[in-house]
Amino acid sequence: MDDHRQPLPAPAPHAPRAPRTAAFFDLDKTVIAKSSALAFSRPLYRGGLINRRAVLRSAYAQFVFLAGGADHDQMEKMREYLSSLCRGWNVQLVREIVAETLHDLIDPLIYDEAASLIEDHHAAGRDVVIVSSSGSELVEPIGDMLGADHVIATRMAEADGCYTGEIDFYAYAANKASAIRELARSEGYDLEQSYAYSDSVTDLPLLEAVGHPYAVNPDRALRREAQSREWPVLVFDRPVQLKQRSSALRVSSRPVLAAAAVGAAATAAGIVWYAAKRRGMAT
């Protein structure tokens, strides 16, 4: 008896999986309304709790950086100052101090527009990565607050639980681009379909590394570059208490890529004072 059954159709080929993508955010003046480090200096100085000379030096260094007037040599001097300042500090103590002071100082400084963008990128299935030249003692907990999937920051050398004063990785300029390319390789991101946001011309390598760069509150040099390259320019000007919208920001389920580090100078001054205070309370 002949078998008149029709042959089964060949299985349809699987649709190619869409590539993974990410959104990379600089921190200061992009997600945070001011320097994350400088935020620590004013309340400490106002209470007479830290040395005025250290605060002025820290504030000036941050002012030069935030005003977009710091050239490579000035940034190197700032880097050397920070690394020498933290030499010998206990790493765990530094992390504890920042954890105890971070939320009151940083929570009110998150741009509402940046928080909305992070929500939108997560809703679109993209990972969110904070990329900052500040240290992970600041950047990692801020990333946790924002629900970031990864954090990239400056890495300082450690020995026997203390900072040696040497810098293993400086998350600045071209180094930021190198770090996100390495992360993209490990996570499978398609950078051509990914996004990046920054306020500073020093982050040109970061912005050039993705297919969708955005200038946010750009300094003059970055504004010129954005205009010449026809990149979108965004203005963020609405700081918001993050806890007021925390229900909308998801907590990351991914491990944080924290390239450990020390914060900028104003934070360092605060840490020096706070550590002295803790020792005094213990005696």
Side-chain angles (χ1 to χ4, degrees), residues 44-74:
L44 296 176
Y45 175 65
R46 187 166 55 235
L49 301 174
I50 55 177
N51 179 277
R52 182 173 183 271
R53 182 176 180 180
V55 172
L56 290 176
R57 183 174 184 181
S58 302
Y60 175 73
Q62 287 295 314
F63 171 77
V64 170
F65 176 74
L66 293 174
D71 58 23
H72 176 75
D73 290 341
Q74 288 171 317

Side-chain angles (χ1 to χ4, degrees), residues 135-165:
S136 68
E137 288 81 2
L138 292 181
V139 183
E140 183 176 345
I142 293 172
D144 287 342
M145 291 164 59
L146 293 166
D149 299 277
H150 298 285
V151 165
I152 295 171
T154 298
R155 180 174 66 249
M156 294 199 68
E158 302 174 18
D160 300 323
C162 296
Y163 295 121
T164 67

Side-chain angles (χ1 to χ4, degrees), residues 29-50:
K29 294 180 66 181
T30 302
V31 175
I32 304 295
K34 64 189 296 185
S35 163
S36 54
L38 190 58
F40 284 78
S41 65
R42 182 173 295 177
L44 296 176
Y45 175 65
R46 187 166 55 235
L49 301 174
I50 55 177

Side-chain angles (χ1 to χ4, degrees), residues 66-250:
L66 293 174
D71 58 23
H72 176 75
D73 290 341
Q74 288 171 317
M75 289 300 296
E76 284 299 303
K77 289 178 181 178
M78 290 166 62
R79 179 184 64 81
E80 292 171 3
Y81 168 64
L82 295 178
S83 60
S84 64
L85 187 65
C86 74
R87 184 178 295 115
W89 289 357
N90 180 277
V91 175
Q92 184 58 36
L93 177 60
V94 171
R95 293 185 181 277
E96 290 174 1
I97 291 167
V98 172
E100 292 174 14
T101 58
L102 181 76
H103 283 267
D104 288 342
L105 296 174
I106 299 299
D107 187 271
L109 300 177
I110 308 295
Y111 281 123
D112 187 36
E113 300 93 335
S116 294
L117 261 181
I118 289 171
E119 294 167 10
D120 291 345
H121 281 300
H122 274 150
R126 299 184 191 96
D127 281 2
V128 169
V129 184
I130 304 297
V131 188
S132 174
S133 57
S134 292
S136 68
E137 288 81 2
L138 292 181
V139 183
E140 183 176 345
I142 293 172
D144 287 342
M145 291 164 59
L146 293 166
D149 299 277
H150 298 285
V151 165
I152 295 171
T154 298
R155 180 174 66 249
M156 294 199 68
E158 302 174 18
D160 300 323
C162 296
Y163 295 121
T164 67
E166 300 297 321
I167 293 181
D168 284 340
F169 173 73
Y170 189 25
Y172 168 69
N175 288 345
K176 284 189 176 182
S178 298
I180 72 164
R181 289 190 181 100
E182 181 178 349
L183 181 61
R185 284 192 293 271
S186 65
E187 294 293 322
Y189 299 145
D190 182 345
L191 289 180
E192 186 59 33
Q193 297 189 43
S194 293
Y195 295 70
Y197 302 85
S198 179
D199 70 290
S200 175
V201 73
T202 63
D203 281 339
L204 268 180
L206 170 68
L207 296 171
E208 291 170 339
V210 301
H212 301 284
Y214 286 77
V216 178
N217 299 336
D219 57 33
R220 282 177 291 182
L222 180 57
R223 184 177 293 276
R224 287 194 298 268
E225 289 287 342
Q227 290 172 345
S228 68
R229 300 172 189 234
E230 299 184 343
W231 289 348
V233 175
L234 306 178
V235 176
F236 293 173
D237 59 7
R238 297 197 307 272
V240 65
Q241 284 275 353
L242 189 61
K243 60 186 178 184
Q244 295 177 359
R245 56 179 300 145
S246 59
S247 59
L249 289 166
R250 70 173 175 83

